[in-house]
């Protein structure tokens, strides 16, 4: 049982934002859910999986976000209600199909949920997907609190079916991962029958073939824009757009999403509710014109509070220019004139500072003396915590061997990487081995480009790494490209048997699907061979053999070689809390600085399971942290680290 399904209508419960979105989808009668894992979005699908059989859902972790959207679109075309979930970078992957889908439209409801990461707390960029709604012309909703996360999700399904198009819900980290009280609604009991009607006329959206082809694009684009006119009218009547405050405030704040909560708190902290009006927009594109015009009439000064790009700021300013004859001139404050920071997450203090600056109030959010004292205490009192691989992580061993092989080869070889736990190899924990890091699968694609530069005198060995989930997500096309174009590279697939970084969601290489059923496990070696690459497989914990194999591959003059380093993640369900070896440091052999290794194990290898005892002048094993992988014994030049197999 799950709180998502056991809570009764009218119950008041504490829900995380992602749980509220999931419950809203259930209350809307969702049938099919698909997506690709990525923080801060993963819990939505993870929690719906728990009630999939009970609620007769089909839930899928797809190979990537574009495929996920195509899977949900199929359900919509068959008349079912579908939801597709991803993080902001995933919308970029899905955007190719999304452009076509939004032009043609949908049949059953299709809600696209994008959970985004202002401040890049768990991302490699601070991108956002709101501009896609404007560029591709479909409605955008942004819940302003946890109750709205539930109710707005439910409403999004109705809206999608009313206009027969995609509706996007945008959440952010502080909405997805924070919690609040939510009053539940009722869960439906009907299970619809899926039917794909395709015998109707070409332009019949509900009966004809689903195709965006030349010759009918003008018609479909006009139809899409007619839908937006309908959306605009619906948004003006939406209960998710609310105004609170004086009739004629000194300052009007226009905001959305979690910034609504920051703005409310800022007004309260400044005791400025008698001077500041607050327009909270839940429907942020297209803008609701009557609602916006009525609000703008209230004040000559307007502060727009939003995270990441100044999208609302630009659109509201353009709207104000169009309506200047009726609303009069305005002075705008926001990101562009510097009232709010142009990057990173906002918080109540940012909004308080902005309001105080506009009003000329003597407010200081955090005194400089306090900040200086906190920094000084943190420097002395907080333990140093490097970004590092977990104890027993196979990636540490993999990059130890890759780094060593490149150094022994001595031709300035380098590794192109991408997104996953192994991105840490750009830093000290991976011996600074990664030299490029961009989007998923881009390591192999960039390496494919480097591998074609011999005609320009380029003679450095080129390697790329990707994880097993990333291999299926985006590396296969890059590998195809490299083989077809006879590029020279080594692709190292770091196969730790799952999408470890986001919680071990299954991928097409595993024998189970998201719902726990049997699935066909696709062989990475067989796929690589079928493409035309030469394939080797090693255990990364076997350092001598891995390094020997890498050195041999570096000697290869031409073509694409794939080395699969296969070892399950130390935190995977099959390995967690199970040690292969008991580890021990022989203090008679570990003589520390007198050894000549310069404390290689704790200074360079840096597994958290190894510690340096400054009193004994010797390394030690931390029995709590050590995962018993045995790799550290292989790197100790004096043989002081001993292994004993667990019986």
């Amino acid at each position: 049982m799950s709180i998502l399904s056991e809570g009764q209508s009218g119950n008041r419960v504490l829900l995380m934002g992602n749980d509220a979105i999931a419950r809203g989808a259930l209350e809307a009668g969702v049938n099919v859910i698909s997506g690709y894992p990525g923080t801060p979005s993963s819990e939505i699908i993870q929690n719906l999986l728990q009630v999939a059989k009970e609620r007769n859902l089909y839930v899928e972790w797809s190979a990537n976000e574009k495929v996920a959207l195509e899977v949900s679109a199929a359900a919509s075309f068959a008349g079912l209600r579908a939801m597709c979930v991803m993080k902001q970078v995933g919308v970029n992957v899905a955007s190719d199909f999304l452009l076509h889908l939004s032009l043609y439209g949908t049949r059953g409801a299709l809600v696209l949920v994008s959970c985004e990461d202002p401040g890049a707390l768990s991302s490699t960029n601070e991108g956002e997907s709101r501009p896609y709604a404007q560029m591709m012309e479909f409605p955008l909703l942004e819940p302003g609190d946890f109750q709205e996360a539930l109710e707005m999700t439910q409403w999004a399904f109705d809206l999608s079916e009313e206009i027969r198009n995609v509706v996007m819900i945008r959440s952010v980290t502080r909405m997805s991962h924070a919690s609040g009280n939510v009053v539940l609604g009722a869960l439906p009991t009907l299970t619809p029958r899926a039917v794909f009607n395709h015998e109707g006329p070409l332009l019949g959206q509900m009966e004809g073939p689903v195709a965006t082809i030349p010759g009918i694009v003008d018609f479909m684009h006009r139809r899409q824009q007619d839908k937006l006119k309908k959306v605009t009218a619906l948004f003006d009547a939406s209960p998710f757009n609310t105004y609170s405050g004086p009739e004629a405030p000194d300052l009007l704040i226009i905001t959305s999403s979690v910034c609504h909560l920051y703005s409310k708190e800022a007004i309260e902290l400044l005791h400025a509710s008698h001077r500041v009006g607050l327009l909270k927009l839940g429907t942020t594109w297209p803008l609701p014109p009557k609602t916006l015009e009525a609000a703008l009439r209230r004040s000559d000064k307007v502060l727009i509070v939003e995270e990441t790009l100044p999208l609302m700021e630009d659109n509201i300013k353009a709207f104000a220019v169009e309506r200047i004859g009726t609303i009069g001139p305005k002075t705008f404050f926001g990101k562009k004139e510097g009232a709010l920071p142009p990057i990173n997450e906002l918080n109540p203090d940012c909004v308080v500072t902005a309001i105080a600056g506009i009003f000329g109030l003597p407010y200081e959010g955090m005194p400089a003396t306090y900040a200086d004292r906190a920094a000084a205490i943190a420097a002395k009192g907080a333990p140093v915590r490097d970004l590092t691989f977990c104890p027993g992580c196979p990636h540490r061993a993999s990059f130890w061997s890759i780094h060593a092989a490149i150094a022994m080869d001595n031709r300035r070889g380098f590794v192109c990487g991408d997104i996953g736990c192994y991105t840490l190899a750009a830093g000290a924990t991976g011996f600074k081995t990664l030299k490029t890091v961009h989007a998923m699968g881009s390591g192999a694609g960039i390496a494919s480009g480097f591998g074609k530069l011999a005609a320009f005198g380029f003679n450095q060995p080129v390697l790329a790494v990707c994880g097993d989930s990333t291999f299926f997500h985006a590396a296969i096309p890059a590998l195809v490209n490299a083989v077809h174009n006879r590029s020279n590279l080594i692709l190292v697939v770091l196969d730790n048997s799952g999408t470890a970084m986001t919680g071990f969601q299954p991928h097409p290489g595993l024998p189970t699907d998201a719902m726990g059923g049997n699935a066909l496990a696709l062989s990475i070696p067989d796929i690589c061979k079928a493409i035309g690459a030469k394939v080797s497989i090693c255990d990364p914990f076997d350092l001598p053999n891995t390094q020997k194999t890498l050195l041999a591959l570096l000697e290869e003059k031409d073509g694409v070689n794939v080395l699969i380093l296969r070892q399950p993640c130390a935190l995977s369900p099959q390995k967690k809390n199970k040690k292969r070896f008991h580890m021990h440091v022989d203090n008679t052999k570990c003589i520390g600085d007198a050894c000549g290794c310069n404390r290689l194990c704790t200074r360079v290898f840096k597994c958290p399971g190894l510690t340096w005892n400054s009193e004994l002048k010797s390394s030690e094993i931390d029995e709590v942290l050590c995962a018993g992988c045995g790799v550290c014994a292989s790197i100790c030049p004096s043989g002081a680290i001993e292994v004993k197999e667990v019986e």
Side-chain angles (χ1 to χ4, degrees):
M1 294 292 287
S2 162
I3 193 170
L4 294 186
S5 62
E6 68 183 2
Q8 301 298 309
S9 177
N11 285 0
R12 185 178 178 86
V13 298
L14 182 68
L15 287 185
M16 194 167 72
N18 278 350
D19 293 340
I21 292 172
R23 173 73 187 204
L26 286 178
E27 292 183 11
V30 68
N31 308 116
V32 172
I33 305 102
S34 60
Y36 187 82
T39 306
S41 72
S42 303
E43 295 86 357
I44 297 174
I45 288 184
Q46 206 68 43
N47 291 331
L48 285 170
L49 274 167
Q50 296 177 18
V51 300
K53 292 180 181 175
E54 177 189 350
R55 300 298 309 171
N56 194 28
L57 310 175
Y58 174 70
V59 188
E60 174 181 301
W61 287 120
S62 304
N64 65 31
E65 293 84 355
K66 177 173 177 283
V67 175
L69 186 59
E70 289 160 348
V71 168
S72 278
S76 167
F77 297 153
L80 302 179
R81 288 192 154 194
M83 182 168 73
C84 190
V85 183
M86 56 194 68
K87 67 180 296 183
Q88 81 276 5
V89 290
V91 182
N92 300 329
V93 178
S95 61
D96 187 13
F97 177 64
L98 183 59
L99 178 63
H100 294 79
L101 180 64
S102 62
L103 176 66
Y104 184 88
T106 57
R107 293 182 180 177
L110 201 168
V111 176
L112 171 62
V113 179
S114 175
C115 299
E116 316 203 342
D117 190 14
L121 301 173
S122 57
S123 306
T124 54
N125 64 66
E126 204 179 9
E128 66 159 284
S129 58
R130 287 185 301 170
Y132 282 118
Q134 183 172 349
M135 180 175 72
M136 299 182 183
E137 300 176 309
F138 52 80
L140 171 66
L141 308 177
E142 297 187 71
D145 59 32
F146 306 98
Q147 185 69 45
E148 280 195 357
L150 184 152
E151 294 177 356
M152 193 177 281
T153 302
Q154 188 175 16
W155 187 63
F157 282 83
D158 294 338
L159 177 62
S160 175
E161 284 188 352
E162 185 160 352
I163 64 168
R164 304 297 177 190
N165 212 328
V166 177
V167 173
M168 176 187 250
I169 295 175
R170 184 215 189 203
S171 179
V172 294
T173 303
R174 304 298 174 182
M175 177 61 64
S176 285
H177 283 175
S179 298
N181 287 326
V182 173
V183 178
L184 304 179
L187 294 173
T189 56
L190 295 176
T191 300
R193 182 169 180 267
V195 178
F196 178 42
N197 297 315
H198 52 79
E199 293 87 0
L202 181 60
L203 299 178
Q205 185 175 347
M206 300 301 291
E207 297 86 18
V210 178
T212 51
I213 55 179
I216 60 172
V217 170
D218 287 354
F219 170 83
M220 287 190 289
H221 198 179
R222 194 176 301 112
R223 181 173 70 187
Q224 185 183 17
Q225 294 194 341
D226 287 343
K227 293 176 183 177
L228 279 179
K229 291 178 183 175
K230 188 175 183 180
V231 168
T232 301
L234 290 169
F235 278 7
D236 258 329
S238 169
F240 298 113
N241 301 321
T242 59
Y243 175 79
S244 58
E247 187 62 31
D250 296 333
L251 175 69
L252 171 69
I253 293 179
I254 302 178
T255 187
S256 65
S257 187
V258 74
C259 293
H260 163 234
L261 301 177
Y262 300 158
S263 301
K264 283 178 66 177
E265 188 171 338
I267 294 169
E268 186 177 328
L269 286 170
L270 284 173
H271 305 290
S273 59
H274 63 293
R275 298 187 64 188
V276 180
L278 181 62
L279 175 63
K280 191 273 296 176
L281 293 178
T283 66
T284 50
W285 202 88
L287 290 170
K290 294 180 181 176
T291 304
L292 192 56
E293 181 174 330
L296 288 172
R297 285 174 182 269
R298 296 177 184 273
S299 179
D300 293 336
K301 293 181 179 178
V302 182
L303 170 64
I304 299 166
V305 183
E306 61 186 321
E307 290 181 321
T308 321
L309 299 176
L311 185 74
M312 279 203 307
E313 186 175 334
D314 285 344
N315 286 333
I316 291 171
K317 285 177 178 175
F319 177 84
V321 170
E322 292 175 355
R323 304 295 174 100
I324 193 168
T326 55
I327 65 173
K330 305 293 174 186
T331 301
F332 285 97
F333 303 90
K335 288 175 173 284
K336 288 197 164 178
E337 54 71 50
L340 293 167
I343 61 170
N344 216 331
E345 289 185 297
L346 299 184
N347 56 47
D349 199 60
C350 293
V351 186
V352 168
T353 302
I355 298 172
I358 294 167
F359 285 160
L361 299 175
Y363 175 83
E364 187 177 20
M366 179 188 292
T369 52
Y370 180 90
D372 293 343
R373 183 166 173 264
I377 293 173
K380 295 178 181 176
V384 177
R385 293 180 177 175
D386 293 332
L387 289 172
T388 185
F389 292 128
C390 303
C393 175
H395 296 340
R396 184 192 308 279
S398 296
F399 284 107
W400 182 268
S401 291
I402 294 170
H403 182 79
I406 289 174
M408 285 187 279
D409 179 78
N410 199 28
R411 287 180 293 161
R412 301 181 65 209
F414 60 93
V415 183
C416 303
D418 55 40
I419 309 303
C421 299
Y422 47 93
T423 307
L424 291 171
T429 192
F431 324 111
K432 300 182 179 178
T433 307
L434 293 188
K435 302 305 181 187
T436 74
V437 174
H438 290 288
M440 292 183 70
S442 65
I446 292 173
S448 176
F450 277 122
K452 290 299 296 180
L453 301 182
F456 303 96
F458 187 86
N459 59 4
Q460 297 168 251
V462 180
L463 295 87
V465 293
C466 71
D468 42 327
S469 186
T470 303
F471 176 83
F472 291 105
H473 180 283
I476 292 176
L479 185 63
V480 168
N481 185 75
V483 172
H484 174 73
N485 290 297
R486 299 181 184 277
S487 187
N488 300 321
L489 66 91
I490 301 168
L491 173 62
V492 182
V493 181
L494 305 171
D495 184 355
N496 62 4
S497 303
T499 316
M501 190 176 188
T502 51
F504 298 101
Q505 292 85 0
H507 60 60
L510 300 176
T512 56
D513 61 25
M515 300 177 69
N518 294 327
L520 183 62
L522 305 184
S523 165
I524 294 177
D526 287 352
I527 291 171
C528 294
K529 290 174 185 173
I531 291 172
K534 290 169 280 187
V535 178
S536 307
I537 303 173
C538 290
D539 179 352
F541 287 172
D542 183 351
L543 299 184
N545 187 49
T546 300
Q547 292 175 18
K548 179 183 175 183
T549 303
L550 277 164
L551 285 169
L553 295 177
L554 286 166
E555 287 296 313
E556 294 270 349
K557 300 296 183 186
D558 299 309
V560 176
N561 281 281
V562 175
L563 172 61
I564 298 168
L565 296 181
R566 182 176 289 161
Q567 181 66 238
C569 172
L571 298 179
S572 63
Q574 64 264 42
K575 287 188 71 175
K576 193 173 183 180
N577 299 324
K578 297 174 184 173
K579 293 185 179 182
R580 182 181 176 192
F581 298 110
H582 289 304
M583 306 301 298
H584 172 72
V585 176
D586 185 339
N587 297 125
T588 64
K589 295 181 180 177
C590 179
I591 53 178
D593 293 334
C595 171
C597 74
N598 196 14
R599 290 191 279 143
L600 180 70
C601 60
T602 54
R603 185 180 58 83
V604 180
F605 191 65
K606 283 188 173 181
C607 176
L610 283 163
T611 59
W612 173 251
N613 189 319
S614 58
E615 293 182 3
L616 295 177
K617 305 296 182 185
S618 173
S619 295
E620 292 182 335
I621 301 294
D622 185 324
E623 295 292 344
V624 175
L625 293 178
C626 177
C629 68
V631 174
C632 57
S634 301
I635 65 146
C636 178
S638 59
I641 304 177
E642 300 173 344
V643 299
K644 180 182 178 183
E645 196 154 358
V646 175
E647 296 179 355

